[in-house]
Amino acid sequence: MAQTPSPWLSLDDALAFSLSNVSPLDETVSLPVASSLGFVLADDLISPVNVPPADNSAMDGYAVYASDTQSPSPLTVVAEQFAGMSRPDKKQEKGTAIRIMTGALIPPGADSVVMQENTVRDATQVVIAKPALVGENIRRSGADIEMGSTVITKGTALNAAHLVLLHSMGISHVTVTRPLKVGILATGDELVEPGNTLSSGQIYESNRIGTRALLAQLPVTITDYGIVADDKKALSDILTKASKEQDLLISSGGVSVGDADFVKELVAQLGEINFWKVAIKPGKPFAFGKLSSTVFCGLPGNPVSAFVTAQQLVLPIIRRMAGIATQHNTTTLTLTARLQQDIKRRKGRQEFLRARMYQDSDQQWCVAPLSKQSSGVMTSITNANCYLVLPAEVSEVKAGDTVLVQPLRLNDHWAGQ
Ligand code: AMP
Ligand code: MG
């Protein structure tokens, strides 16, 4: 473990510290490609084949010798070549054309395919209207993927396009990093599962579902430890149990300075807490540590703070532990937009204002913060389509200034305009 940094950390430092203090899993599993979406490739993937496997036609048309088409004279149509047929043994004769469909193998000899739209056909002959070029409309063997080439690198999280690529190479199974075991729990005497009636002083627990949904696309298996009371014995039992079962434990609540905030104290006793104050708004209390070899992330209790810190800190930690290579470990897309109103604020924390971005009539991205910004107001996130990100040291920005925005991508779909 590296040296523990000072208690108040910038988001960048908190992230850098966390990422350098967690390791990628080194256990792998073989999965059918059909079940591998979101999993992380454990080794470079080398193509066992050429794609396409043989020269074939990119068009419905006629396979010809380009030299026969330089002046518009009729060519006799001598055969038909459909997709799925093997390559004819016999060399195509000069002065002839073979009717060919998209995906059909190029007959030996032919060096060009003329698209049907550029031809005039009668029962036995075809006239080529425009001179053909050598190689035109022929998809060459290996043009997409060459046998022996590295097609997907180790540490890539497989997306829909990768799965298409794998199947196009005839690959049915891939070796990926095994799923990360993640435990989640919520702490607080006031918390009640939705579906029940609230008594005085109680509120519904809503952080676990947010964490779970934010992890839905990642290669994780989630164990839900439920709601745990603000009780040292109950908490310490669950922390001990989870540390034996999970690679990562994510709790919410109990990491601030209240008299019932036992979580970070217990984690420090049972393991270690490396930091618990991050200069981020919403957020601030976010605890990072270890319970033996289990990584611990303690989210703040406020749902907005829990959501933002899960996105900004926990997701990159999970992606690293799940084996995603550093160059792919970007969970946020940061763009610039023109601010629509003045903002004054207290400096000191990097702020993620919930905001709406839109394009004006010149296609310029503009952004305006929402009026409600409390860390208890979850509608500030559901009504937003981006975060307006203000650096810690900035106390004032003016209408017309260029500011940073992070489009909100909930479940991989931008929340839209
Ligand atoms: P804490 O960090 O435990 O002091 O909680 C801060 C605030 O967030 C309090 O108002 C809690 O009632 C609320 N809170 C904590 N955990 C949750 C949760 N899982 N779901 C909804 N609200 C919560
Ligand atoms: Mg609490």
Side-chain angles (χ1 to χ4, degrees):
M1 180 67 66
Q3 218 186 341
T4 304
S6 64
W8 267 95
L9 287 182
S10 69
L11 175 58
D12 284 349
D13 286 348
L15 203 50
F17 179 86
S18 314
L19 293 180
S20 62
N21 282 283
V22 300
S23 319
L25 296 175
D26 62 2
E27 292 164 52
T28 62
V29 286
S30 172
L31 288 182
V33 168
S35 308
S36 69
L37 185 64
F39 280 84
V40 182
L41 204 61
D43 294 301
D44 284 353
L45 194 122
I46 314 288
S47 179
V49 292
N50 281 322
V51 179
D55 294 357
N56 68 93
S57 177
M59 290 284 172
D60 293 320
Y62 294 87
V64 296
Y65 286 82
S67 56
D68 287 341
T69 66
Q70 300 315 303
S71 58
S73 49
L75 302 173
T76 308
V77 181
V78 293
E80 288 184 321
Q81 185 68 10
F82 284 88
M85 287 167 67
S86 59
R87 192 167 185 249
D89 296 330
K90 222 174 102 236
K91 195 169 175 194
Q92 182 174 340
E93 282 179 27
K94 287 271 295 169
T96 68
I98 290 180
R99 172 80 176 124
I100 193 164
M101 294 351 127
T102 305
L105 299 190
I106 304 296
D111 59 14
S112 183
V113 170
V114 179
M115 64 194 280
Q116 187 169 317
E117 290 80 347
N118 293 339
T119 66
V120 182
R121 172 76 195 264
D122 67 19
T124 56
Q125 293 190 315
V126 63
V127 178
I128 313 294
K130 269 200 332 203
L133 299 173
V134 171
E136 202 173 2
N137 298 322
I138 295 180
R139 299 191 288 218
R140 294 288 175 201
S141 165
D144 186 359
I145 303 167
E146 260 182 77
M147 187 161 80
S149 62
T150 302
V151 187
I152 314 174
T153 53
K154 174 183 169 152
T156 303
L158 298 172
N159 64 24
H162 294 125
L163 302 199
V164 175
L165 204 65
L166 289 163
H167 269 189
S168 79
M169 291 182 279
I171 292 171
S172 63
H173 285 72
V174 274
T175 305
V176 296
T177 303
R178 75 151 165 83
L180 187 77
K181 290 181 275 182
V182 179
I184 54 176
L185 66 94
T187 69
D189 283 344
E190 73 280 33
L191 304 177
V192 173
E193 290 286 5
N196 297 294
T197 308
L198 294 181
S199 302
S200 172
Q202 295 183 320
I203 59 164
Y204 289 117
E205 196 288 304
S206 59
N207 284 339
R208 273 147 62 233
I209 191 109
T211 304
R212 190 181 263 276
L214 286 172
L215 307 192
Q217 315 252 318
L218 291 164
V220 296
T221 50
I222 293 179
T223 304
D224 186 357
Y225 293 94
I227 298 171
V228 187
D230 292 319
D231 172 89
K232 285 191 183 179
K233 170 82 174 73
L235 275 168
S236 128
D237 287 351
I238 287 278
L239 293 174
T240 306
K241 180 173 156 57
S243 73
K244 293 184 182 133
E245 298 172 346
Q246 308 301 329
D247 302 309
L248 169 69
L249 179 64
I250 306 168
S251 72
S252 82
V255 289
S256 195
V257 293
D259 291 345
D261 288 345
F262 303 132
V263 176
K264 70 174 184 302
E265 170 192 330
L266 287 170
V267 175
Q269 274 170 25
L270 298 165
E272 57 188 281
I273 288 286
N274 300 114
F275 64 82
W276 66 278
K277 276 184 173 176
V278 182
I280 170 179
K281 187 177 178 190
K284 188 156 128 184
F286 171 89
F288 176 86
K290 293 257 171 84
L291 287 160
S292 62
S293 61
T294 300
V295 174
F296 172 80
C297 290
L299 304 178
N302 275 315
V304 177
S305 307
F307 201 83
V308 172
T309 49
Q311 286 177 314
Q312 301 295 330
L313 285 151
V314 181
L315 293 186
I317 292 171
I318 291 182
R319 288 165 64 83
R320 171 155 170 83
M321 293 181 76
I324 293 175
T326 311
Q327 73 268 25
H328 301 307
N329 198 356
T330 310
T331 48
T332 50
L333 172 69
T334 303
L335 309 170
T336 54
R338 196 180 325 113
L339 185 63
Q340 294 307 294
Q341 66 194 64
D342 297 351
I343 299 174
K344 276 195 175 163
R345 61 168 214 130
R346 190 196 305 267
K347 66 179 171 186
R349 290 198 270 163
Q350 183 171 348
E351 187 159 4
F352 292 79
L353 290 164
R354 276 74 71 210
R356 292 194 66 79
M357 60 192 287
Y358 58 91
Q359 279 175 297
D360 66 13
S361 51
D362 298 328
Q363 308 299 312
Q364 257 279 336
W365 283 103
C366 302
V367 64
L370 299 178
S371 53
K372 287 186 187 172
Q373 294 290 337
S374 154
S375 62
V377 184
M378 197 61 199
T379 47
S380 72
I381 294 190
T382 53
N383 291 333
N385 65 3
C386 67
Y387 292 128
L388 193 175
V389 187
L390 295 176
E393 66 280 6
V394 167
S395 60
E396 192 172 358
V397 265
K398 296 241 178 267
D401 284 355
T402 297
V403 291
L404 298 178
V405 290
Q406 284 181 2
L408 264 171
R409 295 169 77 238
L410 303 176
N411 284 335
D412 245 1
H413 295 290
W414 185 49
Q417 293 193 47

